Amino acid sequence: MTASDQILQQHGLTRDEYQRILEMLGREPTVTELGIFSVMWSEHCSYKSSRVHLRKLPTTGPRVLQGPGENAGAVDIGDGLAAVFKIESHNHPSFIEPYQGAATGVGGIIRDIFTMGARPIALLNSLRFGPLEDPLVRRTFSGVVRGIAGYGNSIGIPTVGGEIAFDESYTGNPLVNVFCLGIAKADEIIKAAASGAGNAVYYVGAKTGRDGIHGATMASAEFDEASAEKRPAVQVGDPFMEKLLLEACLEVMKTDTLVGIQDMGAAGLTCSTAEMGSRGGAGIAIDVSLVPQRETGMTPYEIMLSESQERMLLVVKQGREAEVERIFEKWDLHAVRIGEVTTDGRLLVKHHGDVVADIPARCLTDEAPVYQRPMAEPAYLAEARRLDLSSLGPPPPPADVFRRLLASPGIASKRWVYRQYDHMVRTNTLVVPGMGAGVVRVKETNRALALSTDGNARFVYLDPFQGAQLAVAEAARNVACAGGEPIGATNCLNFGNPERPEIMWQFGQAVEGISAACRALGIPITGGNVSLYNETDGRGVLPTPVLGVVGLVEDASKIARRAFAHDGDTIVLLGVGRGELGGSEYLKVIHGLVRGVPPVLDLPAEAALQRLLVAGIAAGLIRSAHDCAEGGVAVTLAECCFDTGLGATIDVPTIEAAAGAMAAVSTLFGESASRVIVSVEPSRAAELVRLAAGAGVPAAIVGRVGGDRIRVTIGRETALDESLADAERIWSEAIGAYFDRERAIA
Amino acid sequence: MKFAVVVFPGSNCDHDAYHAARHVLGQDAAFVWHKETSLGGADVVVLPGGFAHGDYLRTGAIARFSPIMREVQQFADRGGPVLGICNGFQVLLEAGLLPGAMLRNRSVKFQCEHVFVKVEQIDTPFTNACRPGQILRIPIAHGEGNYYAEPGVIERLEKNRQVIFRYTTADGAMMPEANPNGSAANIAGICNDARNVVGLMPHPERACELALGSADGYVVLESAVKAVTHGMFAAAR
């Protein structure tokens, strides 16, 4: 067929790309082929804008068992076991239909994990929304939370952590990034590659319907007013079906009947057949008329492009088909043979025996277009990075700032959210959500895994390179605060339209930053996801790289928690405050500004700090640890007091650089990096300070746990003296209040 | 002694019950697939939590028709100890082994959190190791745990001392604010007339080890071991 401009536009293909298709095929494509190319060459599947940059990430290390390129990455955690994990976005569907968009995001990442032969044991999610004052945002927020809960709770995988941030830029384009981790035997990881001519290709799971056709293309375009009409491109999830698939697939994987397995996520049958064939250097021939269908009259185009959820593609060893079919029958699932592996490296699609597509598989994967898109420093930067504190006028009293920050949804307790998530199922959760890193034990070993997803988009907006480095450092620091040695990471890169040079510049800088920080901290990136075109009506979201870091705790009985553990313990502040307010929660909440330069990050110092934390916690010296992030040392101290009823008093030195009217607020609420509040038994405080000195980590005994107030003095002068109970009430009730109010009005 | 943990399609606390029985209490335990027709000589049957059949139609409504439920019914009729936890409790209600029904939580949200329950009666196979009135801190994780029964049924449950667990404050006060889901009379768990079948919404199997935040649920499973080894419910096999 000769494609008109309109047809190409509908398929998200450029004229140049169409020309390449003609050259590759040596003829005009059939309509099914055009559909196949369109989804496989979409940004979502091909990473055509991001690939050249992603190559810079460090992906190797002594513990890496599987780097990028498979369904998920894997790292060695000892005892012959592997942690298999990845993070993925489901941003676009979650805006159009919050519940199903988020639910199917959870379903998709879980499939990626069990496809590798791993039993999923933990979920985390990083969410971004507009301000909760907006009723539409509240609808999106509660829908996304319910969707995550609805899917994760039903399938029985605990949601053990994550984070949520708010900014106007996410109002029309929320971010829903879901992280899943599973455990597999290190030598039994299963790959998604097809090989062995004549081996059967099986389809199993939900029937194929017309839902989600062009979901991948949707995720590769900006939003506009017409986006609400794209609802049919969002799929509907069925966690019960996925639970059956999960159990049945894990049972099949215990046998040695499989050659390879892949889930059908974005671009459905097209992507799974093309990628499995391409990875194994083989071809795949299928007849789509054999695919179980939910609706009548579906065309090969529709069957190949459907994104119906909860479907898997398996390649089974010859002669073992009956065994596989029997296991699926047990779970009331029907594995259907739809084709076989071939030797010619082509994706051959038939419909009732007639050929409807015949494409070399590598044209769809390795030979898909790769763009070196132009990059240019955005015009906003020079102005946004200028911060003149004296122009802000006298700051409000510290007590007012403190209360407003505690009530700010970015800082306030997220219990309203995680109470809706089953965070205890599977009885592994040692540290529940809302307390920094989530910690799960690994049964049948002494080990545990500390997991954290982080990313401060304001910092990235103000300096993509530095902000991305800070995201890596924060996620790693959070797992170290629980006692976990960071051993692997996955990233989800949420940016705007890559066809704009300034967005591409943000992206390129951020990848460089992640790369530099991961190298310095010795953390390999084993996979991840890129989500571009996060824009509504031409306005992009804050550039938002989210890092998910896995930390290994050697002794699960020795983990540190955020909250102070004992009355009378000594409080030690690790790291140095510089009073940095650039990009801070203080500036945003109090002055409505996203301005200045992000905090300085000294990577060797950060690495030393993290090593000290891991060693100090393993030795039983550090009894609690909490990273100083949004809201600075004052908010961090308060968070250490919450949930325990134990107050605290600390004294911090005056920061010389931050003199003048802003001295107190910058000392209390500045967000300098690489700082952690820890508590130790008083008799061992000196030991910790000595250990820190030896490790080159600045450490100061600053105060004591106890009482019913949160007190901070600066150079012995009282700067903050608040009731713990009042502070905790403000912090606990802030998010729920947005919804209670709504109910009262209704 | 041996625990049978029934696995329905969609059960997801089956591993938790198995782990608690086998690895924490050190007892024999086996999974029993819902299509099987034998409980494999088990001394105690656990219907675990989860979303059997996706909770589609109604919680527990489809699971009651599984082949294994005939065996569970007969085991219960012979006096064998049966424990339904969360979704397992919902299955017991649908199967008519226990009276009443579940409504959506008063909050109309799924809730996962620790709550306090008071052990109201200790003459059951799942509470005989408890102190009378003992307060247990154990988690709930459900969207439909709002126990409902006709007033006459509640009255009979109270009169026959069939209310086994009740939501209370930490000091055992039966206050409305201690009721997490709106259950009638703060009911968290009940037993049948013969007292050998017990259902409860909270998850004792999730609270058997201090590392998980509470070991208060241990006593519930320990009671079953005690009941069986002392021959209190020996007629079952």
Side-chain angles (χ1 to χ4, degrees):
Chain A
M1 59 176 284
T2 306
S4 67
D5 286 345
Q6 192 193 352
I7 284 183
L8 289 186
Q9 200 198 342
Q10 280 167 356
H11 284 83
L13 289 166
T14 65
R15 186 53 69 181
D16 286 349
E17 286 170 344
Y18 183 69
Q19 203 54 44
R20 276 186 74 170
I21 294 172
L22 293 179
E23 283 160 23
M24 281 173 163
L25 294 178
R27 59 176 165 80
E28 281 171 355
T30 65
V31 64
T32 305
E33 286 171 336
L34 189 68
I36 289 172
F37 272 106
S38 114
V39 289
M40 288 305 292
W41 284 12
S42 70
E43 189 65 55
H44 192 78
C45 291
S46 72
Y47 290 72
K48 58 189 168 191
S49 303
S50 58
R51 227 192 251 196
V52 291
H53 298 277
L54 299 176
R55 288 187 189 128
K56 293 173 187 156
L57 295 170
T59 58
T60 54
R63 286 187 183 274
V64 175
L65 299 172
Q66 178 64 59
E70 280 285 338
N71 283 296
V75 291
D76 187 341
I77 57 166
D79 294 309
L81 298 176
V84 176
F85 61 97
K86 197 167 91 168
I87 191 166
E88 208 164 70
S89 66
H90 231 215
N91 305 335
H92 298 87
S94 299
F95 172 65
I96 294 176
E97 214 299 290
Y99 183 96
Q100 292 298 346
T104 53
V106 175
I109 191 69
I110 291 171
R111 281 196 301 283
D112 280 337
I113 301 308
F114 76 72
T115 298
M116 301 281 292
R119 157 77 66 182
I121 65 161
L123 290 164
L124 288 87
N125 47 68
S126 277
L127 311 176
R128 300 289 182 275
F129 300 100
L132 286 176
E133 283 76 13
D134 182 337
L136 235 125
V137 170
R138 289 201 293 275
R139 178 186 160 276
T140 310
F141 179 85
S142 60
V144 164
V145 170
R146 276 192 309 112
I148 291 169
Y151 210 101
N153 296 352
S154 177
I155 200 164
I157 301 168
T159 299
V160 302
E163 39 108 48
I164 309 177
F166 302 85
D167 184 86
E168 290 79 357
S169 71
Y170 303 114
T171 296
N173 195 129
L175 303 185
V176 176
N177 292 181
V178 189
F179 170 103
C180 185
L181 178 137
I183 301 292
K185 293 223 170 91
D187 55 359
E188 292 178 9
I189 289 175
I190 293 175
K191 304 288 174 73
S195 62
N199 281 333
V201 174
Y202 272 85
Y203 170 112
V204 66
K207 290 181 179 175
T208 295
R210 288 196 171 94
D211 50 334
I213 291 174
H214 278 302
T217 343
M218 172 184 83
S220 307
E222 294 175 30
F223 276 137
D224 52 34
E225 280 175 19
S227 296
E229 290 164 20
K230 288 191 175 159
R231 199 166 288 125
V234 180
Q235 317 85 3
V236 175
D238 178 356
F240 174 58
M241 172 61 83
E242 178 131 320
K243 171 71 173 167
L244 300 181
L245 270 181
L246 158 65
E247 297 298 339
C249 287
L250 289 180
E251 202 170 319
V252 169
M253 288 163 177
K254 277 191 204 146
T255 68
D256 62 342
T257 54
L258 290 186
V259 174
I261 180 167
Q262 162 117 15
D263 80 300
M264 293 184 222
L269 196 50
T270 294
C271 187
S272 56
T273 48
E275 287 194 354
M276 279 190 88
S278 176
R279 281 201 197 101
I284 285 188
I286 59 168
D287 191 320
V288 290
S289 56
L290 300 172
V291 169
Q293 292 156 49
R294 199 160 57 213
E295 299 167 62
T296 54
M298 286 185 71
T299 63
Y301 179 98
E302 289 171 324
I303 297 167
M304 288 304 288
L305 266 59
S306 162
E307 291 190 4
S308 292
Q309 296 288 292
E310 292 92 21
R311 303 178 301 159
M312 307 290 291
L313 195 74
L314 288 71
V315 176
V316 178
K317 288 181 188 163
Q318 244 170 28
R320 310 294 294 276
E321 296 87 352
E323 270 172 82
V324 172
E325 287 177 18
R326 210 161 38 237
I327 292 171
F328 284 112
E329 285 298 331
K330 173 192 161 183
W331 293 93
D332 293 325
L333 297 167
H334 304 290
V336 181
R337 185 178 179 143
I338 60 165
E340 59 181 34
V341 178
T342 62
T343 52
D344 60 7
R346 302 181 79 85
L347 172 61
L348 182 72
V349 182
K350 294 183 184 175
H351 186 232
H352 293 295
D354 298 333
V355 174
V356 292
D358 184 3
I359 308 169
R362 51 166 215 289
C363 293
L364 299 168
T365 53
D366 301 340
E367 292 174 15
V370 170
Y371 294 132
Q372 188 96 45
R373 297 213 188 262
M375 301 194 283
E377 186 174 319
Y380 74 82
L381 258 185
E383 172 59 24
R385 288 167 62 86
R386 222 185 337 255
L387 174 62
D388 176 11
L389 290 174
S390 62
S391 71
L392 301 176
D400 291 2
V401 174
F402 181 67
R403 289 179 210 144
R404 284 174 67 187
L405 287 179
L406 291 176
S408 158
I411 286 176
S413 167
K414 310 298 186 294
R415 183 167 178 270
W416 187 92
V417 173
Y418 66 76
R419 184 187 189 217
Q420 298 185 52
Y421 304 149
D422 190 336
H423 46 266
M424 304 176 190
V425 62
R426 300 202 67 76
T427 59
N428 294 323
T429 310
L430 305 180
V431 177
V432 302
M435 308 295 280
V439 183
V440 287
R441 65 180 176 186
V442 182
K443 284 204 184 102
E444 292 167 33
T445 76
N446 284 327
R447 297 189 167 94
L449 296 171
L451 313 171
S452 188
T453 57
D454 290 286
N456 184 324
R458 284 198 294 264
F459 293 163
V460 183
Y461 172 79
L462 295 169
D463 184 341
F465 180 83
Q466 179 76 350
Q469 287 200 319
L470 286 161
V472 175
E474 187 185 357
R477 197 183 310 129
N478 271 332
V479 305
C481 280
E485 179 200 348
I487 59 168
T490 174
N491 57 11
C492 199
L493 307 174
N494 309 273
F495 288 78
N497 182 346
E499 294 159 42
R500 292 175 214 270
E502 60 275 23
I503 300 283
M504 213 52 229
W505 183 85
Q506 290 177 331
F507 184 85
Q509 289 285 303
V511 172
E512 299 268 6
I514 292 170
S515 183
C518 283
R519 282 177 210 280
L521 300 175
I523 309 170
I525 299 273
T526 63
N529 170 235
V530 177
S531 173
L532 300 175
Y533 297 97
N534 288 289
E535 304 206 351
T536 303
D537 296 328
R539 200 168 157 239
V541 299
L542 291 183
T544 314
V546 170
L547 267 292
V549 171
V550 175
L552 181 62
V553 183
E554 287 292 339
D555 180 349
S557 70
K558 295 209 178 83
I559 49 175
R561 290 159 202 275
R562 175 177 91 183
F564 292 137
H566 299 276
D567 199 356
D569 271 0
T570 300
I571 301 171
V572 175
L573 178 62
L574 304 175
V576 182
R578 300 184 188 88
E580 293 156 289
L581 284 175
S584 64
E585 190 82 6
Y586 167 81
L587 279 189
K588 176 71 182 173
V589 172
I590 305 300
H591 301 285
L593 294 177
V594 179
R595 264 185 176 279
V597 290
V600 169
L601 178 64
D602 175 343
L603 285 166
E606 176 71 43
L609 169 71
Q610 292 180 17
R611 279 195 299 270
L612 173 70
L613 286 164
V614 174
I617 293 165
L621 184 55
I622 293 173
R623 303 223 269 199
S624 77
H626 187 29
D627 157 51
C628 287
E630 288 88 346
V633 73
V635 166
T636 304
L637 181 71
E639 288 171 345
C640 294
C641 297
F642 295 156
D643 299 307
T644 66
L646 293 171
T649 301
I650 63 168
D651 180 72
V652 291
T654 314
I655 296 166
E656 283 176 29
M662 300 296 276
V665 291
S666 55
T667 304
L668 292 169
F669 308 113
E671 296 180 9
S672 296
S674 312
R675 288 184 303 162
V676 174
I677 292 182
V678 302
S679 65
V680 287
E681 201 181 321
S683 64
R684 301 188 72 183
E687 190 184 336
L688 176 64
V689 172
R690 253 198 324 276
L691 195 66
V697 176
I701 294 174
V702 291
R704 196 176 150 274
V705 176
D708 57 4
R709 301 191 70 80
I710 299 164
R711 255 194 222 112
V712 184
T713 58
I714 300 174
R716 306 285 159 205
E717 297 252 345
T718 297
L720 193 71
D721 186 356
E722 291 288 289
S723 143
L724 167 59
D726 290 348
E728 188 160 359
R729 196 178 52 250
I730 293 169
W731 175 79
S732 305
E733 294 174 357
I735 288 188
Y738 285 96
F739 297 90
D740 295 345
R741 221 176 293 152
E742 195 165 61
R743 203 188 286 174
I745 295 162
Chain B
M1 60 158 290
K2 187 172 175 184
F3 283 82
V5 179
V6 175
V7 183
F8 298 103
S11 291
N12 66 29
C13 304
D14 45 346
H15 287 260
D16 303 358
Y18 179 92
H19 170 78
R22 182 124 196 177
H23 300 299
V24 185
L25 279 94
Q27 302 297 322
D28 194 7
F31 292 115
V32 178
W33 181 234
H34 77 121
K35 288 180 189 170
E36 288 178 29
T37 52
S38 161
L39 289 164
D43 303 290
V44 177
V45 173
V46 178
L47 305 190
F51 288 69
H53 296 277
D55 273 357
Y56 298 151
L57 187 58
R58 269 194 325 280
T59 55
I62 305 174
R64 62 169 286 212
F65 295 108
S66 287
I68 197 65
M69 285 307 290
R70 264 195 306 274
E71 288 304 304
V72 173
Q73 174 87 52
Q74 284 169 14
F75 179 84
D77 289 348
R78 292 197 301 271
V82 176
L83 180 67
I85 303 169
C86 195
N87 193 229
F89 184 14
Q90 294 163 340
V91 174
L92 290 173
L93 295 174
E94 287 287 337
L97 282 159
L98 291 172
M102 288 295 170
L103 307 177
R104 289 199 69 187
N105 292 349
R106 191 174 40 190
S107 67
V108 290
K109 288 188 183 70
F110 189 96
Q111 286 167 240
C112 178
E113 57 200 328
H114 277 93
V115 297
F116 293 98
V117 296
K118 184 177 182 181
V119 179
E120 294 280 40
Q121 308 295 338
I122 62 164
D123 57 340
T124 79
F126 300 101
T127 51
N128 63 77
C130 303
R131 294 187 311 276
Q134 187 172 347
I135 308 295
L136 310 178
R137 182 175 170 269
I138 49 182
I140 55 166
H142 60 244
E144 295 183 31
N146 179 354
Y147 181 77
Y148 174 82
E150 298 282 331
V153 174
I154 302 279
E155 206 175 303
R156 208 182 66 237
L157 287 174
E158 299 282 12
K159 200 173 112 238
N160 295 341
R161 302 184 302 103
Q162 283 173 255
V163 176
I164 308 303
F165 300 101
R166 239 191 270 268
Y167 301 111
T168 65
T169 62
D171 353 308
M174 198 188 110
M175 317 272 277
E177 52 270 36
N179 185 342
N181 50 30
S183 288
N186 283 37
I187 289 173
I190 57 174
C191 73
N192 62 347
D193 289 331
R195 312 191 79 74
N196 61 318
V197 177
V198 172
L200 78 167
M201 285 314 292
H203 287 271
E205 85 287 14
R206 291 189 186 186
C208 290
E209 299 162 86
L210 273 178
L212 301 175
S214 169
D216 286 3
Y218 184 90
V219 73
V220 173
L221 297 177
E222 186 192 14
S223 291
V225 177
K226 202 171 144 196
V228 171
T229 45
H230 292 222
M232 289 153 83
F233 296 85
R237 286 169 81 170

